Amino acid sequence: MVLETRSPEETFRAGMRLGEAAVPGQVFTLTGDLGVGKTVFTQGVARGLGIQEPVSSPTFTIVQVYEEGRLPFYHFDVYRIGDVEEMDEVGFEDYVMGEGVSLIEWADLIREILPEKRTEVVIEKDLEQGFDYRKITITEIG
């Protein structure tokens, strides 16, 4: 599925629709360049799960856990990860094999340990389409 958004609000709503439809154990992988709107999209997913508290990238903690929504939400940001083995230290497998919803920003950096069954989300800019234009490609894997 390919979605096109033309504002941060539309990108947020696209994430929200995914969050509303998410099921226990679902894993979203999220890739895209810096500044493309990954955090805005993630905030939408969280809102779709019923999470009201502010969501920001857990850049220095690798994972942020939100439990007050209809499902637990595990938000990973692996941009600064030095080695895939660091993911064991934060209990990565326990989260992605659990009953919550996992979203992994910069997932391409840990591709070798991603679950076979996942929903890949790629966000891209196209400045020819306008500064706020985003192409969001959603692909079911496995």
Side-chain angles (χ1 to χ4, degrees):
M1 169 178 17
V2 176
L3 306 173
E4 295 180 305
T5 65
R6 299 196 179 275
S7 70
E9 294 79 19
E10 287 182 11
T11 300
F12 178 92
R13 284 195 299 273
M16 195 166 108
R17 285 193 300 275
L18 248 57
E20 289 169 346
V23 297
Q26 185 144 24
V27 176
F28 295 103
T29 60
L30 183 55
T31 57
D33 293 336
L34 280 171
V36 80
K38 292 184 299 295
T39 299
V40 169
F41 184 86
T42 300
Q43 290 167 339
V45 171
R47 185 62 51 85
L49 288 166
I51 295 164
Q52 299 299 316
E53 72 180 275
V55 172
S56 60
S57 282
T59 302
F60 297 104
T61 59
I62 300 178
V63 64
Q64 185 70 41
V65 177
Y66 302 90
E67 295 186 333
E68 82 276 4
R70 68 178 177 83
L71 294 169
F73 181 50
Y74 312 123
H75 178 202
F76 292 87
D77 184 330
V78 299
Y79 182 71
R80 296 196 189 319
I81 196 161
D83 189 303
V84 167
E85 291 170 7
E86 287 180 50
M87 298 306 288
D88 286 337
E89 295 170 19
V90 299
F92 177 73
E93 192 171 304
D94 293 333
Y95 288 117
V96 299
M97 301 307 270
E99 291 298 308
V101 173
S102 298
L103 184 143
I104 307 154
E105 290 190 49
W106 299 99
D108 50 331
L109 298 176
I110 61 165
R111 186 162 298 282
E112 61 267 30
I113 64 168
L114 293 175
E116 287 184 24
K117 183 174 173 37
R118 62 187 182 271
T119 304
E120 289 188 346
V121 180
V122 178
I123 304 178
E124 300 169 286
K125 290 187 207 181
D126 182 350
L127 293 178
E128 290 181 10
Q129 297 278 339
F131 181 76
D132 289 326
Y133 172 87
R134 298 297 183 265
K135 177 182 171 187
I136 303 170
T137 306
I138 303 167
T139 308
E140 296 295 329
I141 304 295

